[in-house]
Amino acid sequence: MTHAAARPADFRVRHRLRVRWAEVDMQKIVFNAHYLMYFDTAVTDYWRALALPYESAMHLLGGELYVKKATLQYHASARMDDLLEAAVRCARIGNSSMGFEGAIFRDGRRLIECELVYVFADSATQTARPVPPALRALLQDFEAGAGVTEVRSGPWAALGAHAASIRTEVFIQEQAIAPEDEWDADDAGAVHAVVYNRLGQPLATGRLLRHAEGVGRVGRMAVLRALRGAHLGRTVLDALLAQARARGDREVILHAQCSAQGFYAQAGFTPTGAPFDEVGIPHIGMRLCF
C-alpha cells in the first residue's frame, strides 16, 4: 500500500474525475466496486503517459498484462459530485510481475489506497513470462522522471513510411477522408515530423510546407487515437515551428479542424477568417507570427 503521507504530487500520473449519481449507493457515498474502476481508468492514463498504444505495444512486446491481485484500503468515502484524483505509480518490478500503488484524493486528502499486481504472460496460454527488458527500462525511466518519446524531423524519404501509417489510420480509416484527398505531391518537398515511443512505434506526425517567401504552412497533423491527450500533437507542432524559424519564416499558417482550434490557440495561433468546409470537415484558417 502507499505510504500514509502520500500526496497527489508524489504520483506522475493522476486522473481527475467527478463522481456521478450512478456511482453512489443509498447512503449517497461511492459504491465500493467503483473505486477499482477509477484506478483502472488511471492505469489506462498511465500507459498513455508512457506513450504506449496498449494493444499494439503488448503485441510488439510478445505478451499481455493480467491482474493477479487488487487490494483496496478505505480511509474515507467519496460522495456524489466530488472532484477526485485517482493517482497511480509503478512501485515494483519483479521477474514476471509488476506492482502498482494507487491512491484516490479529494482536495489533497487521501480517501482510498490501492495495490495492483500485474503479471506479464503469454496471451494465448496465460503462462507467466519475464517482463521484457524494454518495458522494464521504460517503467523505471518514467518513474525517475525521464522522457519517453523522441521526435524526428526530416524529408519524406526518411519519415514517409511512418508518417503515412499514422495518417492512414487517423484520416482515412478514422475520419473517412478519401485517399485521393489525403495524398498529394507536396509530401515530397515538405519537412515532416514524427514522434516515436521507446519501442520505436510512430505515434504522431505533421508536415511543414513553404507557402510563400517567409511563410510556412503546417498541415497533416495527426495523433493516434489511443495517445490523444498525451501532448504528442504539441510535440509535433513545436518541432515544425522550430523548423520554420530555422529557415527564416516570419509566419506560419494552417487550416485547423474546428474541433482543434483551441489546441492551436494555446500555441499562439489566431483565426484569420470564418469557418469553411474542407474534405467534409469544418475548418478555420489560423496564423502565427514570429
Side-chain angles (χ1 to χ4, degrees):
M1 287 296 189
T2 56
H3 191 275
R7 304 161 301 167
D10 295 330
F11 298 82
R12 290 205 65 194
V13 174
R14 303 190 298 274
H15 175 81
R16 303 189 76 187
L17 59 101
R18 189 172 295 278
V19 176
R20 301 171 298 176
W21 68 268
E23 297 163 0
V24 300
D25 59 20
M26 295 180 63
Q27 297 173 291
K28 298 183 179 179
I29 60 177
V30 171
F31 183 67
N32 291 342
H34 286 296
Y35 291 115
L36 281 173
M37 179 185 67
Y38 298 161
F39 282 116
D40 192 56
T41 303
V43 170
T44 299
D45 277 357
Y46 191 93
W47 296 113
R48 184 177 294 110
L50 291 175
L52 292 182
Y54 182 83
E55 183 177 0
S56 62
M58 288 300 139
H59 178 76
L60 190 61
L61 290 166
E64 184 69 84
L65 288 174
Y66 296 91
V67 176
K68 180 72 171 179
K69 176 183 178 182
T71 304
L72 296 178
Q73 184 172 336
Y74 300 90
H75 301 284
S77 298
R79 298 181 177 275
M80 172 65 188
D81 215 36
D82 278 353
L83 183 61
L84 306 177
E85 280 190 298
V88 293
R89 61 189 173 196
C90 183
R92 178 189 60 82
I93 308 173
N95 179 50
S96 61
S97 67
M98 53 190 71
F100 282 77
E101 296 177 342
I104 291 175
F105 299 93
R106 181 184 59 215
D107 297 327
R109 180 190 177 192
R110 179 174 48 93
L111 304 181
I112 312 293
E113 290 181 289
C114 179
E115 180 186 14
L116 296 169
V117 178
Y118 292 88
V119 173
F120 188 81
D122 180 274
S123 57
T125 65
Q126 295 190 0
T127 53
R129 286 183 172 180
V131 175
L135 180 57
R136 181 185 298 274
L138 175 58
L139 290 166
Q140 291 171 338
D141 289 349
F142 176 74
E143 289 294 345
V148 295
T149 60
E150 173 193 9
V151 60
R152 303 176 197 167
S153 300
W156 186 253
L159 300 175
H162 289 153
S165 70
I166 299 167
R167 286 162 51 180
T168 297
E169 184 170 335
V170 173
F171 295 133
I172 297 175
Q173 296 175 358
E174 181 184 340
Q175 298 186 356
I177 293 174
E180 58 268 26
D181 291 328
E182 172 57 28
W183 309 117
D184 58 31
D186 289 337
D187 277 327
V191 177
H192 298 267
V194 177
V195 174
Y196 296 86
N197 64 14
R198 288 275 293 271
L199 301 182
Q201 294 178 289
L203 310 173
T205 190
R207 74 181 186 185
L208 174 69
L209 303 174
R210 187 180 295 278
H211 181 73
E213 185 63 31
V215 181
R217 179 173 177 176
V218 165
R220 300 303 197 269
M221 292 280 295
V223 179
L224 295 182
R225 187 171 186 173
L227 276 301
R228 289 172 200 162
H231 309 294
L232 303 183
R234 185 57 186 267
T235 299
V236 169
L237 183 59
D238 287 347
L240 295 176
L241 293 179
Q243 291 288 327
R245 290 189 185 94
R247 74 182 185 189
D249 289 349
R250 300 182 302 275
E251 65 176 300
V252 172
I253 63 172
L254 56 82
H255 290 174
Q257 293 190 14
C258 288
S259 59
Q261 182 177 347
F263 164 77
Y264 292 106
Q266 289 180 346
F269 283 82
T270 57
T272 57
F276 57 91
D277 180 272
E278 188 172 282
V279 294
I281 300 173
H283 283 70
I284 189 166
M286 303 188 79
R287 170 183 293 145
L288 172 67
C289 296
F290 297 135

